[in-house]
Amino acid sequence: MFRPKYPEAPTPSIVHVPTAVPAAQHSHAPACSCQRTTAPAPARPAGVLSGLNAGTVGAVVTVGIVLTALLAAVAVTAVSVAVAAVVLRSLLASQRRR
């Protein structure tokens, strides 16, 4: 979806090559036998987000939201337990004085 579309490389035109090579000419073999049929891929930008797609970003955001909600739940529970401990301590201390 986010990958650019490149036009296809034009096909080379056919050139008539004589079948008989004169003795004075030497034919050189090509340096490599590879022939590219497609254009080389463009260089990707170096960065953090170069390999991420929409699904990956969505998953990371969802996991971040869930972890933040769990951290908030743990914090609220800790505060409520601390308040309950202070109240119980106060009640027990007042009963000892009587």
Side-chain angles (χ1 to χ4, degrees):
M1 181 172 152
F2 294 105
R3 294 189 179 186
K5 303 285 185 189
Y6 294 103
E8 296 197 17
T11 57
S13 61
I14 298 174
V15 178
H16 178 66
V17 178
T19 56
V21 178
Q25 293 180 351
H26 297 286
S27 62
H28 295 285
C32 71
S33 63
C34 62
Q35 294 186 7
R36 291 184 171 225
T37 57
T38 60
R44 291 186 146 212
V48 177
L49 300 177
S50 64
L52 299 179
N53 58 15
T56 306
V57 172
V60 169
V61 169
T62 303
V63 168
I65 290 172
V66 168
L67 290 177
T68 304
L70 287 173
L71 181 64
V74 168
V76 167
T77 303
V79 168
S80 65
V81 167
V83 168
V86 168
V87 169
L88 284 174
R89 183 176 175 185
S90 173
L91 289 173
L92 290 175
S94 67
Q95 281 185 348
R96 287 183 192 160
R97 290 182 189 159
R98 290 184 187 183

